[in-house]
Amino acid sequence: MTEAMETPGGEAYIAAIAGIVADVETVGRQIAAGQIAELRVLAAAGRLAEAQSAHADANVLLHDMALRSIAAEVAGAMRMTDRTVQRRIGEARVTIEGFPAAVAAWEAGRIVRGHVSAIVDAGVNLPAELWAEFEKVAIERCERDTPNRVRGELEILAHRMHPRSFAERHEEAAAGRCVRLVAGRDGMSDLIATLPTVIAEGIHDRLTQQARAIIDTRGERAATSDVIATDGRSTDQVRADVFSDLLLAGIPALDDTRDTAAGPLGAIRARVQVLIPAATLTGADDGPCDLSGRSPIDPVTARTLAGETGVWERLLHDPVTGVTVATDSYRVPSGMRRFLQARDQHCRFPGCRVAAIRCEVDHTHDHALGGKTELSNLAHLCQRHHSMKQFTAWKVRQLQGGVLEWTSPLGRTYREDAPTPAVAFTSATANPGDPAPF
């Protein structure tokens, strides 16, 4: 390998990356064409099974036997089990026949398979007569962002379009909360808890904070002690160990932070970031609220969390884009930080959705190079992407409205719009000059 090839930024290196990206795009189109063709074939198999049992005296068992037989035949060619193929036939029919516009957008390259999955997963919970209306709005949203970013928003959209309120459906679902034990291999098992989302998110966040405190303390002790550190557990392992300690003993059995500045593990409490529309907060609306772009939570829980917070600030949104443009706070930098959390919601690198409360506020134009500490020069980046901005050839500049324009080492640009609230409310009688709702 030549020196130019080895050096990031060299002509040969850039040309090699450009070739790889072009090949990835070509292969991606080919894979998409194959995946769509497979879905259509499987859907056709399902329709054939239905036709086989379409006569008047056909019963449910006859239809199921016809589907099983065809699934077994297809399974032999696909080298899969007939149960798996039968399930995939059902999924293919829902996708091809229930959401044809999404498939067409995928075929045209406007969206990718992950978008289609997100649309189907969220839309299938609606009555079938609402699928087309939901699909139209969902596709437009998917064209502007990655599948993992839009999934939570599409779920909230579907919940709001549902004829039954989200609060009512959540109450029914919460009645099914449970803890299950699933035996695994090599003396291991999975302990699975089905809980309301905000509770599950809070549990995971507290375990993560405690695990990080232990790992950080481990580094501090190794730096100040002659004793060689023997604790090589990963974050996942520490999180699992703390989880076990808390359930079995009530407190962490081994609190390595007890004698350090990090503080006792027991003092660490869970954090969740929730976006609550004003109408839901006041009780005028019973729609879902957004748990930092991850998934919807019920309005009763959101109102309870809001009632326990010690700080409230009014946020004003642009009536057209829904982007937060002002806050009542005059304090700096805490007020600016809260404004940015409301605006950004998550890491602002394309495709990343690490919640803003777990990110760093970054100066888009470095402060050391003259960048000002002002809203138009600040954005949230997670540790991974903050480091990538600092130490690689990726560049970013901030445009009006909190829009970030990222430029890759190849010179490709990726526009990262500030997230819009899941729902924006405007008055039907509002005049263009009226203040924006909040």
Side-chain angles (χ1 to χ4, degrees), residues 258-269:
R258 212 166 261 149
D259 298 322
T260 71
L265 291 183
I268 294 177
R269 291 293 178 263

Side-chain angles (χ1 to χ4, degrees), residues 240-285:
D241 292 344
V242 172
F243 174 79
S244 302
D245 289 344
L246 289 174
L247 287 180
L248 294 174
I251 59 172
L254 297 175
D255 187 349
D256 290 339
T257 71
R258 212 166 261 149
D259 298 322
T260 71
L265 291 183
I268 294 177
R269 291 293 178 263
R271 303 169 304 170
V272 292
Q273 180 178 337
V274 183
L275 306 176
I276 311 174
T280 302
L281 184 63
T282 60
D285 179 83

Side-chain angles (χ1 to χ4, degrees), residues 414-428:
Y414 300 88
R415 179 186 171 102
E416 169 71 9
D417 290 343
T420 57
V423 177
F425 296 92
T426 56
S427 171

Side-chain angles (χ1 to χ4, degrees), residues 19-20 55 69 72 123 131 136 155 184 231 254 329 403:
I20 290 172
H55 45 85
S69 178
W131 287 1
K136 180 180 178 181
E155 289 180 5
D231 186 354
L254 297 175
S329 173
V403 174

Side-chain angles (χ1 to χ4, degrees), residues 235-408:
T235 300
D236 277 338
Q237 291 171 331
V238 176
R239 189 160 38 207
D241 292 344
V242 172
F243 174 79
S244 302
D245 289 344
L246 289 174
L247 287 180
L248 294 174
I251 59 172
L254 297 175
D255 187 349
D256 290 339
T257 71
R258 212 166 261 149
D259 298 322
T260 71
L265 291 183
I268 294 177
R269 291 293 178 263
R271 303 169 304 170
V272 292
Q273 180 178 337
V274 183
L275 306 176
I276 311 174
T280 302
L281 184 63
T282 60
D285 179 83
D286 251 353
C289 300
D290 188 10
L291 186 63
S292 70
R294 293 171 67 90
S295 55
I297 66 170
D298 64 289
V300 174
T301 299
R303 293 186 195 111
T304 300
L305 292 173
E308 294 176 353
T309 187
V311 178
W312 274 103
E313 293 175 356
R314 186 174 58 153
L315 302 177
L316 305 179
H317 299 291
D318 184 290
V320 177
T321 66
V323 175
T324 304
V325 296
T327 180
D328 283 344
S329 173
Y330 292 98
R331 290 173 292 178
V332 178
S334 59
M336 294 173 67
R337 186 179 301 111
R338 285 191 288 273
F339 177 95
L340 290 165
Q341 284 183 353
R343 185 196 73 180
D344 293 346
Q345 301 180 27
H346 48 62
C347 170
R348 298 294 307 286
F349 187 84
C352 184
R353 65 173 192 172
V354 174
I357 57 174
R358 299 185 183 93
C359 294
E360 303 164 351
V361 177
D362 171 66
H363 287 75
T364 305
H365 178 54
D366 288 350
H367 186 267
L369 300 177
K372 297 181 179 179
T373 304
E374 57 187 12
L375 294 176
S376 60
N377 190 48
L378 299 172
H380 282 86
L381 295 179
C382 67
Q383 188 175 25
R384 172 187 174 87
H385 294 123
H386 192 184
S387 298
M388 208 167 82
K389 171 180 173 284
Q390 289 179 301
F391 302 115
T392 74
W394 279 85
K395 305 296 181 186
V396 61
R397 67 187 184 114
Q398 188 161 166
L399 310 179
Q400 289 186 344
V403 174
L404 298 187
E405 184 181 79
W406 289 86
T407 304
S408 76

Side-chain angles (χ1 to χ4, degrees), residues 36-94:
I36 294 170
E38 183 182 74
L39 281 176
R40 286 181 171 145
V41 170
L42 291 175
R47 289 192 296 271
L48 177 60
E50 187 174 37
Q52 288 288 95
S53 56
H55 45 85
D57 60 345
N59 55 35
V60 174
L61 179 60
L62 180 60
H63 175 267
D64 188 55
M65 288 301 106
L67 182 57
R68 286 188 192 184
S69 178
I70 291 176
E73 190 73 55
V74 174
M78 298 182 70
R79 298 191 177 185
M80 294 181 176
T81 66
D82 59 302
R83 292 176 184 272
T84 298
V85 171
Q86 185 171 338
R87 174 180 55 79
R88 291 185 61 180
I89 286 174
E91 293 171 350
R93 289 200 68 180
V94 170

